């Protein structure tokens, strides 16, 4: 079963709604047992990196996530802040993150562009597909290993819109709120293990 | 770069959408929202105007959110952190505060702390006023309340609002174009994204707004479905017009 991690200040309900709309069997993950039995895990995100790490810590699921995602190679998709915490560190609240991917997360320069970045932006994926997705973010990831970069968008320069390392995926945009383009990306992830 | 957002605001009374003057019932909120989604609207605002004293109509928010996969903002009767939590849980991404923020500005700070700035939209109604330093005054129910508009927007941003939705009461319902001067004033006052509202009547009003100001979004509800306007437009027509005029929008497929 597909599991959507339900934590404080996330938008797990919207993500679960989109996944079920696509016809997949899915439910929330609220404890370690839910994670252990998952075929795919989604970590939604709308709040801050610090609040997200704190919530995952309080739920006591970080060790089991390490075990199933890093050990058993279960498919994992982090969305928005859920992607940012895959890296080692976020400038937002000076937060130590999961560190599954090398790199760090920094803030857009509000002297140069309006922050948060809010709206639809073109993303060029590695597959060379181009689509428009919905973004809401003040911070963005700087992957330490360029091989992990899976798609780029532009906001005061190019930045990481999607990342992938094996079974671990992340999108900075909200696939669950990106219309048909987002729904078809989610379908690809579940059916073909790619975005 | 970001594309410009076309946004429909649904004024909802008892689960039904009304026009801005509130004298025509247009459709059920759920059905109209889904129709707008299929027509490639970029974002929806659900504004519950049933009664100021009532709590948010969560059941209708849930019904609306279920079939649309684009950003949804809920406003109108948000009064507390617990109202905010309920609408986010019901499937909204953003919460818009207007009257509640004027009465208790701390609600912006509390909301931003709990859910992140990106979830808190400060919605403001303003009128031109010579008494105010910026030339515009904040209003509640069309009555000016002695607050300078630019100061209020800055204060809202400082408290944690992540977006501003700015409505010109002078232009609202006139179909004579957005108040460009007001939107420029807001551009200079704050650094968060701005949604322009009030006055849209024809496609040229959108190109004028997006060329002359930094507004990232525009409320176009009247152009889409007001029965009082000479001609209604489809989202497709408006996006085609903007693309033809070299203004970037999310393409309609």
């Amino acid at each position: 079963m597909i599991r959507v991690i339900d934590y404080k200040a996330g938008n797990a309900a919207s993500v679960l709604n989109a996944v079920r709309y696509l016809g997949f069997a899915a439910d929330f993950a609220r404890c370690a047992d839910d994670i252990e039995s998952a075929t795919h895990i989604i970590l939604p995100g709308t709040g801050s990196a610090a609040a997200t790490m704190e919530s995952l810590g309080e739920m006591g699921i970080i060790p089991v996530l390490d075990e199933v995602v890093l050990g058993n190679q279960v498919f994992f998709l982090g969305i928005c802040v859920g992607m940012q915490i895959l890296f080692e560190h976020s400038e937002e609240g000076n937060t130590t993150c999961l560190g599954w991917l090398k790199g760090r997360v920094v803030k857009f320069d509000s002297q140069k562009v309006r922050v948060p970045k809010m709206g639809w932006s073109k993303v060029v994926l590695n597959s060379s597909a181009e689509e428009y997705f919905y973004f809401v973010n003040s911070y963005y990831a700087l992957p330490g290993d360029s091989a992990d970069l899976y798609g780029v968008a532009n906001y005061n320069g190019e930045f990481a819109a999607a990342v992938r390392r094996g079974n671990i995926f992340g999108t900075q945009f909200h696939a669950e709120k990106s219309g048909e383009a987002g729904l078809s990306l989610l379908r690809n992830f579940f059916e073909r293990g790619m975005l | 770069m970001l594309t410009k957002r076309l946004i429909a605001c649904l004024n909802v009374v008892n689960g039904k959408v009304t026009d801005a003057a509130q004298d025509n019932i247009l459709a059920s909120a759920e059905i109209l929202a889904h129709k707008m989604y299929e027509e490639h609207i970029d974002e929806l605002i659900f504004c519950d105007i049933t009664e100021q004293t009532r709590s948010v109509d969560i059941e209708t928010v849930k019904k609306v959110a279920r079939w649309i996969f684009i950003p949804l903002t809920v406003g109108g009767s948000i009064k507390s952190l617990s109202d905010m939590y309920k609408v986010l849980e019901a499937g909204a991404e953003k919460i818009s505060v207007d009257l509640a923020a004027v009465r208790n500005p701390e609600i912006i700070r509390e909301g931003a702390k709990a859910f992140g700035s990106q979830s808190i939209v400060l919605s403001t109604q303003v009128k031109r006023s010579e008494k105010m330093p910026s030339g515009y005054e904040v209003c509640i129910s069309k009555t000016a309340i002695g607050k300078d508009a630019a100061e209020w927007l800055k204060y809202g941003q400082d408290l944690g609002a992540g977006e501003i939705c700015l409505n010109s009461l002078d232009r609202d319902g006139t179909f004579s174009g957005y108040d460009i001067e007001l939107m420029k004033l807001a551009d200079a006052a704050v650094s968060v994204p701005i949604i322009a509202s009030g006055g849209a009547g024809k496609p040229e009003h959108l190109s004028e707004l997006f060329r002359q100001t930094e507004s990232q979004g525009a409320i176009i509800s009247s152009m889409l479905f007001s029965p009082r306007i000479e001609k209604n437009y489809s989202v497709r027509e408006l996006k085609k017009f903007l693309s033809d005029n070299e203004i970037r929008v999310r393409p309609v497929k």
Side-chain angles (χ1 to χ4, degrees):
Chain A
M1 176 175 294
I2 295 163
R3 291 285 185 174
V4 180
I5 300 177
D6 184 23
Y7 65 98
K8 268 187 292 178
N11 68 334
S14 289
V15 175
L16 185 64
N17 182 43
V19 176
R20 285 183 172 163
Y21 172 83
L22 290 168
F24 295 101
D27 211 335
F28 291 123
R30 290 178 169 137
C31 62
D33 285 354
D34 296 341
I35 305 272
E36 272 172 7
S37 61
T39 56
H40 297 73
I41 300 163
I42 302 186
L43 178 62
T46 58
S48 70
T52 304
M53 286 305 295
E54 203 178 301
S55 280
L56 297 181
E58 277 170 14
M59 290 168 80
I61 57 172
I62 294 177
V64 68
L65 282 172
D66 279 339
E67 179 193 317
V68 301
V69 178
L70 299 179
N72 306 346
Q73 312 270 303
V74 169
F75 281 108
F76 182 96
L77 172 64
I79 297 175
C80 195
V81 177
M83 161 178 149
Q84 295 178 358
I85 63 147
L86 297 176
F87 292 88
E88 293 159 300
H89 182 265
S90 173
E91 219 174 73
E92 186 178 21
N94 188 20
T95 306
T96 301
C97 298
L98 292 174
W100 293 351
L101 304 184
K102 285 194 184 111
R104 61 202 174 90
V105 174
V106 297
K107 193 170 188 178
F108 285 121
D109 183 351
S110 64
Q111 301 293 317
K112 294 186 176 145
V113 282
R114 290 194 179 262
V115 178
K117 168 188 165 90
M118 202 178 285
W120 298 79
S121 208
K122 186 167 80 178
V123 173
V124 183
L125 291 166
N126 276 12
S127 58
S128 78
E130 287 187 3
E131 267 302 349
Y132 286 78
F133 295 101
Y134 185 76
F135 288 82
V136 182
N137 58 307
S138 301
Y139 294 80
Y140 64 100
L142 295 171
D145 186 343
S146 61
D148 296 343
L149 198 60
Y150 200 67
V152 291
N154 203 303
Y155 200 56
N156 187 34
E158 272 193 356
F159 73 96
V163 291
R164 176 188 186 174
R165 186 173 190 86
N167 57 311
I168 302 169
F169 293 77
T171 64
Q172 182 57 67
F173 50 84
H174 286 274
E176 77 284 7
K177 287 287 164 175
S178 293
E180 294 302 315
L183 293 174
S184 99
L185 179 137
L186 289 173
R187 191 184 291 113
N188 269 344
F189 173 66
F190 300 128
E191 287 180 349
R192 301 161 63 197
M194 58 181 284
L195 299 183
Chain B
M1 290 306 285
L2 282 174
T3 55
K4 299 297 183 182
R5 288 177 273 157
L6 300 187
I7 301 167
C9 179
L10 309 181
N11 288 319
V12 181
V13 177
N14 296 321
K16 300 273 198 285
V17 180
T18 70
D19 67 348
Q22 288 184 50
D23 46 14
N24 285 291
I25 297 288
L26 303 177
S28 98
E30 189 185 356
I31 290 171
L32 189 57
H34 189 251
K35 180 167 177 274
M36 291 294 111
Y37 169 71
E38 297 221 299
E39 286 188 8
H40 267 73
I41 196 83
D42 295 314
E43 194 165 327
L44 280 170
I45 299 176
F46 176 105
C47 192
D48 188 350
I49 53 173
T50 308
E51 273 173 49
Q52 289 297 350
T53 51
R54 235 187 57 160
S55 59
V56 195
D57 181 357
I58 291 295
E59 285 316 305
T60 307
V61 174
K62 277 188 187 159
K63 282 189 202 159
V64 167
R66 196 179 172 111
W67 304 108
I68 63 161
F69 303 98
I70 51 171
L72 173 66
T73 302
V74 174
S77 36
I78 307 286
K79 285 182 222 64
S80 63
L81 217 53
S82 126
D83 288 342
M84 292 183 174
Y85 182 74
K86 280 185 212 152
V87 303
L88 292 177
E89 201 185 30
E93 274 59 56
K94 295 188 262 189
I95 305 135
S96 150
V97 285
D98 185 331
L99 178 63
V102 172
R103 286 194 176 144
N104 170 28
E106 280 301 312
I107 196 171
I108 300 175
R109 195 198 304 272
E110 289 167 13
K113 188 166 172 247
F115 311 111
S117 281
Q118 81 290 334
S119 293
I120 309 296
V121 183
L122 174 60
S123 172
T124 300
Q125 323 289 321
V126 306
K127 261 186 206 168
R128 281 179 189 266
S129 159
E130 284 172 9
K131 290 179 290 179
M132 295 291 132
S134 72
Y136 291 89
E137 187 167 1
V138 178
C139 299
I140 289 179
S141 306
K142 305 195 174 170
T143 307
I145 57 160
K147 269 186 201 296
D148 179 77
E151 286 305 313
W152 173 239
L153 298 183
K154 266 185 236 169
Y155 185 47
Q157 171 176 285
D158 290 346
L159 287 172
E163 187 172 54
I164 304 281
C165 182
L166 186 54
N167 185 37
S168 159
L169 291 173
D170 303 305
R171 296 299 177 92
D172 205 14
T174 64
F175 312 125
S176 63
Y178 295 94
D179 187 336
I180 300 293
E181 199 184 325
L182 171 64
M183 300 309 156
K184 283 184 175 168
L185 181 83
D187 285 343
V190 298
S191 63
V192 294
I194 294 157
I195 297 172
S197 170
K202 51 183 186 176
E204 288 77 7
H205 294 150
L206 287 168
S207 50
E208 183 188 25
L209 173 76
F210 291 138
R211 282 216 182 95
Q212 296 185 29
T213 76
E214 292 177 36
S215 295
Q216 295 187 349
I219 307 271
I220 57 163
S221 331
S222 297
M223 274 199 277
L224 297 176
F225 44 69
S226 170
R228 295 186 304 124
I229 198 168
E230 209 168 285
K231 174 180 173 3
N232 288 126
Y233 296 87
S234 67
V235 178
R236 181 181 291 273
E237 279 175 289
L238 295 173
K239 286 194 170 179
K240 177 168 190 314
F241 173 85
L242 290 172
S243 298
D244 289 348
N245 283 275
E246 292 173 350
I247 291 164
R248 276 185 238 185
V249 290
R250 174 174 70 116
V252 177
K253 292 217 167 152

